[in-house]
Amino acid sequence: MRMSRAAASLPLLLLVVVALLAAAEARRHKDGDEKACDKGWECSGSRFCCNDTITDYFKAYQFEELFANRNDPSLAHAAGFWDYQAFITAAALFEPRGFGTTGGKEVGMKEVAAFLGHVGAKTSCGYSVATGGPLAWGLCYNHELSPSQSYCDNSNELYPCVEGVEYYGRGALPVYWNYNYGVIGQGIKQDLLNHPELLEQNATLAFEAAIWRWMTPMKRKQPSAHDVFVGNWKPTKNDTLSKRYPGFGATMNILYGDLICGQGSIDKMNVIVSHYRHYLDLMGVGSDNAGDNLDCADQVAFNPSSKNLDS
């Protein structure tokens, strides 16, 4: 029995259609074009866009476990302010740059635990016999309760103090001084120099400012806290001579400098390390997987100074 000419041409037609679809898909994946992902993340050329996002491995119940007493009416000073959605909304702005999306799921979980370890330690009102222990009281504050000064540096011409405005500590990683409000505000496109109070009025902005600090180098040719934690940074000879190595310890060096680092095994440093390790346990990663170079007891500060973001 003879096949008709139309029937014989069908296989060829199908091959042409398949080839055209393949070419179209290849064009979609061409460098610089938007990638096709199934996670609802709109890609804009980011190499992280098809990786797990923070909501894939860090859920609301885990946030509640990490900050179990933040809304306790008897002790918490920012009850009702901090929540999971505020963190996730802020974090999503930095996921295309690698925050929580670098190096696979475990590295992402460790980075979230590391960042929140700093946040928890810096906003804690926990003490040794507090309910749940001293590590269960992160996000107790959203601003400094009894400022010792206005934190105005009149010598700074780039970000001069605004009359009547005080620059005491506010936020998830508390910000101090007019010049720090100025540079962070510029980074997140908010007028924090004139309105530093935004960091104690809007939890999403408070987390956004903190993650911006985590992701941004203090100076050119220096790493960010993110870089030293996820392995993007390779120490120079001068770094190794200064005992600066990749790991959690170097994140403290970048964020706090000689206020915490290079002073031996002091309580202020150990509390931050303890929060990080505790959060790793709560998130199921385990404190045994905290990594090397956890402290900065012997590190020389990247930027020795009496004033920095945390002073």
Side-chain angles (χ1 to χ4, degrees):
M1 184 175 180
R2 288 181 134 193
M3 184 182 295
S4 70
R5 182 175 297 177
S9 66
L10 282 175
L12 179 60
L13 181 60
L14 287 173
L15 288 173
V16 171
V17 171
V18 169
L20 289 173
L21 289 173
E25 187 68 13
R27 284 195 298 272
R28 288 187 69 192
H29 286 272
K30 185 179 178 181
D31 288 343
D33 287 347
E34 186 170 320
K35 295 182 181 179
C37 299
D38 60 359
K39 297 185 179 299
W41 182 355
E42 300 245 345
C43 297
S44 299
S46 168
R47 62 190 175 92
F48 304 106
C49 72
C50 294
N51 295 353
D52 283 347
T53 56
I54 293 172
T55 53
D56 290 318
Y57 56 76
F58 184 61
K59 307 297 184 181
Y61 78 88
Q62 292 171 300
F63 183 90
E64 297 298 327
E65 289 178 348
L66 266 59
F67 304 109
N69 296 320
R70 73 185 189 283
N71 293 324
D72 185 292
S74 65
L75 191 58
H77 298 279
F81 182 76
W82 304 103
D83 60 40
Y84 173 77
Q85 194 56 50
F87 169 66
I88 292 301
T89 301
L93 300 174
F94 297 88
E95 287 173 335
R97 290 173 51 186
F99 179 64
T101 58
T102 300
K105 178 180 177 180
E106 182 171 319
V107 175
M109 293 177 74
K110 289 169 68 173
E111 182 175 15
V112 169
F115 169 75
L116 292 177
H118 282 279
V119 169
K122 288 296 178 178
T123 59
S124 175
C125 57
Y127 53 97
S128 59
V129 295
T131 303
L135 304 179
W137 291 86
L139 295 181
C140 177
Y141 300 99
N142 61 6
H143 68 277
E144 186 179 9
L145 294 186
S146 301
S148 59
Q149 57 178 302
S150 64
Y151 298 97
C152 169
D153 179 2
N154 283 310
S155 68
N156 190 281
E157 297 179 0
L158 185 59
Y159 299 111
C161 302
V162 176
E163 186 177 355
V165 175
E166 295 187 344
Y167 299 99
Y168 55 80
R170 299 175 177 90
L173 289 178
V175 182
Y176 301 79
W177 297 99
N178 48 301
Y179 45 84
N180 289 323
Y181 278 99
V183 70
I184 292 173
Q186 185 175 10
I188 66 171
K189 297 179 172 58
Q190 297 288 331
D191 185 7
L192 298 183
L193 188 65
N194 282 283
H195 299 285
E197 71 277 2
L198 290 174
L199 297 188
E200 59 181 289
Q201 294 175 348
N202 187 312
T204 300
L205 282 183
F207 277 125
E208 185 180 342
I211 301 172
W212 185 89
R213 286 179 60 189
W214 178 264
M215 298 296 295
T216 307
M218 292 287 292
K219 292 183 178 179
R220 291 183 62 187
K221 297 184 179 181
Q222 287 187 0
S224 64
H226 166 77
D227 290 330
V228 301
F229 187 81
V230 302
N232 290 343
W233 172 67
K234 292 184 179 180
T236 64
K237 182 178 180 180
N238 182 58
D239 288 316
T240 57
L241 290 174
S242 300
K243 299 184 179 180
R244 298 191 293 254
Y245 303 101
F248 185 77
T251 68
M252 292 186 284
N253 193 326
I254 290 168
L255 294 175
Y256 318 121
D258 48 15
L259 291 174
I260 284 182
C261 298
Q263 300 188 43
S265 185
I266 61 173
D267 288 343
K268 287 194 295 185
M269 180 192 73
N270 292 331
V271 164
I272 300 171
V273 175
S274 294
H275 275 80
Y276 167 50
R277 292 172 61 89
H278 180 58
Y279 291 175
L280 284 175
D281 284 334
L282 291 178
M283 291 172 65
V285 178
S287 55
D288 291 343
N289 295 312
D292 298 326
N293 308 312
L294 281 177
D295 65 64
C296 61
D298 300 320
Q299 291 185 19
V300 177
F302 280 99
N303 299 300
S305 173
S306 60
K307 296 177 182 178
N308 62 22
L309 291 169
D310 191 63
S311 62

